[in-house]
Amino acid sequence: MSEPKWLDAGEMAAWRAYRVSSILLEGQLHRELVDAHDITLADYEVLVRLAERPDQRMRMSVLAAEVASSKSRVSHQIARMERAGLVERDNCSSDGRGVYAVLTERGMAKLREAAPTHVDGVRRHMIDLTTESQQATLAKIFERIGAMLAETPDD
């Protein structure tokens, strides 16, 4: 096996700054939602994805891909959210194996309640700290990384 191409000081600084700040940012946004609305950041993301759909429903497999999670993890998450009355499951009539996650009225109400807190947190902890040019650069960088990783097989 060949010697790895080690990171130089600049590359290491970029990696570590990303790694630490992304963990801290996600943790902060999560705590703000839990403290103010008793909802996790992961659950909030699911509610947003469902609310963005015209029929407020999404196949579980598509939802898992959109929130960058495994099908199994999303299934457990949806089961928990279903017990809380935020979502329902519905079988796909055209495909007996397909299952939809469907946003409930209670889920939409929770989303409307929590959205201002989340948006304020994103703005305070990221958007207001960066310029439009930096935001565009971040978007390009992470869209590129996300697209490459989405094409990578899970095995």
Side-chain angles (χ1 to χ4, degrees):
M1 183 170 203
S2 64
E3 183 73 13
K5 184 178 177 188
W6 298 107
L7 302 179
D8 65 27
E11 293 166 337
M12 182 62 80
W15 168 247
R16 287 184 175 166
Y18 158 75
R19 184 73 179 128
V20 170
S21 63
S22 66
I23 291 168
L24 291 172
L25 177 59
E26 188 165 328
Q28 181 67 34
L29 295 173
H30 174 81
R31 279 188 303 280
E32 290 172 0
L33 285 170
V34 169
D35 291 349
H37 306 286
D38 196 30
I39 185 172
T40 68
L41 180 58
D43 290 353
Y44 178 86
E45 287 293 330
V46 166
L47 295 178
V48 167
R49 301 299 175 147
L50 294 174
E52 290 173 340
R53 295 292 172 121
D55 56 357
Q56 299 179 334
R57 66 177 44 234
M58 186 181 295
R59 283 184 79 122
M60 296 279 283
S61 57
V62 174
L63 179 60
E66 286 203 10
V67 297
S69 189
S70 70
K71 292 175 190 175
S72 173
R73 180 173 286 172
V74 166
S75 181
H76 289 293
Q77 181 180 4
I78 292 298
R80 185 177 39 73
M81 293 176 75
E82 194 172 22
R83 287 190 297 275
L86 302 174
V87 298
E88 297 173 341
R89 291 180 202 235
D90 188 21
N91 291 324
C92 177
S93 59
S94 63
D95 177 3
R97 298 170 298 160
V99 177
Y100 288 99
V102 183
L103 185 63
T104 64
E105 288 184 29
R106 185 174 183 177
M108 181 57 89
K110 179 61 85 170
L111 177 60
R112 285 188 181 117
E113 170 195 313
T117 299
H118 180 68
V119 170
D120 179 64
V122 170
R123 185 163 292 290
R124 280 186 298 116
H125 306 306
M126 183 182 156
I127 299 302
D128 291 348
L129 303 175
T130 58
T131 66
E132 283 186 35
S133 175
Q134 290 169 328
Q135 293 161 23
T137 299
L138 284 169
K140 286 179 187 173
I141 290 168
F142 291 107
E143 286 168 0
R144 181 176 180 186
I145 292 169
M148 184 274 303
L149 292 172
E151 293 175 3
T152 304
D154 290 341
D155 42 284

